[in-house]
Amino acid sequence: MFLAAEEPNAVLPHPSEIILGLVAFLLLLFVISKFVAPRFEKLYAERTAKIEGGIEKAEKAQAEAEAALQQYKAQLAEARAESARIRDDARAEAEQIKEELRAQAQEESARIIAQGQASLEASRAQIVAELRADLGRHAVALASKVVGESLEDDARRRGTVDRFLEELDAVSAPAKN
């Protein structure tokens, strides 16, 4: 048999193609491991650092927000306590003013009542004095007509009038009680 040129095998590639493919693969592997892989590792590390830094910043911001919230709550509680204290002070002051005004009103009322009673007593005394004098004149005139003699003598008239008024007071004193 005559050996003819070998026919290419469809399943197995030619050995030169295998060698050339292997050299190209090794060259590509060298370039990737020397240049590309370190660049990816560097980018990966940077991205990891940014993410971790972002997380730290977020945690720090959250802690600051929590501290601000606690401070706000403390200030709010302090403001509420202050407003309650001010309200209580205002109520106490209002009560004190109310009591002072009530005391002033009572004093003024007592003063007006006392002044009215004093005025009334003075008026009463004046009216009683006028009535006594008037009653004395009428009594003397009536007694003069009844007795038939003149009671013009001042001393006798005063004595008679005073005695009459004393008797009148003695009679009216039990009636008042």
Side-chain angles (χ1 to χ4, degrees):
M1 291 206 181
F2 176 66
L3 280 177
E6 283 185 32
E7 285 189 31
N9 189 354
V11 177
L12 244 170
H14 194 272
S16 64
E17 286 181 5
I18 292 177
I19 292 175
L20 186 62
L22 187 60
V23 168
F25 177 74
L26 289 176
L27 183 61
L28 184 62
L29 184 64
F30 174 74
V31 169
I32 288 176
S33 66
K34 185 72 174 169
F35 299 107
V36 176
R39 179 77 176 140
F40 278 130
E41 289 296 323
K42 183 179 173 186
L43 289 175
Y44 177 73
E46 287 176 3
R47 181 168 285 183
T48 303
K50 283 183 181 180
I51 291 172
E52 288 175 357
I55 290 173
E56 288 176 9
K57 286 181 184 178
E59 288 174 351
K60 185 177 177 183
Q62 186 176 3
E64 288 175 359
E66 191 68 32
L69 178 64
Q70 293 301 324
Q71 184 180 7
Y72 169 75
K73 285 181 180 179
Q75 288 175 347
L76 184 61
E78 184 178 317
R80 284 183 179 154
E82 180 72 15
S83 69
R85 186 188 59 78
I86 289 171
R87 185 176 55 243
D88 291 342
D89 289 348
R91 283 183 184 154
E93 188 174 333
E95 283 296 320
Q96 181 182 4
I97 290 170
K98 187 172 141 183
E99 289 300 318
E100 289 174 1
L101 289 175
R102 183 177 291 135
Q104 286 176 353
Q106 287 175 347
E107 289 173 6
E108 184 69 17
S109 172
R111 186 186 63 78
I112 290 171
I113 289 172
Q115 193 176 30
Q117 286 177 344
S119 174
L120 186 62
E121 286 296 320
S123 295
R124 182 180 174 272
Q126 182 182 1
I127 290 171
V128 166
E130 288 175 3
L131 286 176
R132 281 182 177 225
D134 210 23
L135 185 63
R137 277 194 308 272
H138 289 299
V140 168
L142 187 61
S144 293
K145 288 181 183 179
V146 168
V147 171
E149 67 180 67
S150 174
L151 295 176
E152 295 293 327
D153 184 13
D154 238 2
R156 278 179 41 208
R157 185 176 55 172
R158 277 193 203 136
T160 306
V161 169
D162 286 341
R163 193 174 58 247
F164 175 72
L165 290 177
E166 285 174 9
E167 288 175 9
L168 188 62
D169 282 340
V171 170
S172 67
K176 284 183 183 177
N177 292 338

